[in-house]
Amino acid sequence: QVHLVEIGGGLVQAGDSLRLSCAASMRSFSNYAMGWFRQAPGKDREFVAGISWAGDRTAYADSVNGRFTISRDNAKNTVYLQMNSLKPEDTAVYYCAAAVAVVVLTSPNLYNYWGQGTQVTVSS
């Protein structure tokens, strides 16, 4: 009943920018908190950014704070991740996730639905 699709990944050079989009198919998108996670080969999935259902609260991992911005457009059932000043350590598969919650959630275990992921590779 819920389907998430991420787009916008690719190969970029350090210092470049990318904008990821997550299109959601669900009833009442505005009732879900949304988040972005990433996972590099051999590493655990980690929280990147989250946004509340109303879009009035956001949270970021320390590693991306100041460089990444999460936003949502409930009219379009879409959440975005603007990534600036990309670094090689940002290289990972990025996943969009949805949670039946009002507040921002940072644990992957609290999210109910996940997209297939999109690869972001940053060269030095």
Side-chain angles (χ1 to χ4, degrees):
Q1 60 178 354
V2 177
H3 185 58
L4 307 176
V5 178
E6 304 97 332
I7 60 172
L11 302 172
V12 297
Q13 186 176 334
D16 286 352
S17 297
L18 279 176
R19 191 188 195 196
L20 305 183
S21 298
C22 173
S25 177
M26 64 181 70
R27 187 184 183 91
S28 300
F29 175 76
S30 60
N31 291 334
Y32 290 79
M34 303 295 295
W36 286 96
F37 294 79
R38 66 187 182 187
Q39 187 167 22
K43 297 184 178 181
D44 294 332
R45 183 168 51 189
E46 66 174 350
F47 171 78
V48 176
I51 188 167
S52 62
W53 69 270
D56 58 337
R57 298 294 179 90
T58 58
Y60 298 93
D62 290 341
S63 59
V64 307
N65 191 38
R67 299 187 298 119
F68 291 10
T69 302
I70 187 172
S71 61
R72 67 190 296 163
D73 187 338
N74 290 346
K76 296 181 178 180
N77 282 19
T78 302
V79 62
Y80 306 95
L81 184 67
Q82 178 66 46
M83 304 184 294
N84 298 327
S85 301
L86 284 163
K87 304 175 181 179
E89 51 262 44
D90 294 319
T91 296
V93 176
Y94 283 71
Y95 297 92
C96 174
V100 183
V102 173
V103 300
V104 176
L105 301 175
T106 60
S107 173
N109 301 121
L110 299 177
Y111 283 79
N112 305 97
Y113 308 102
W114 295 84
Q116 83 289 348
T118 184
Q119 178 70 48
V120 173
T121 302
V122 184
S123 62
S124 60

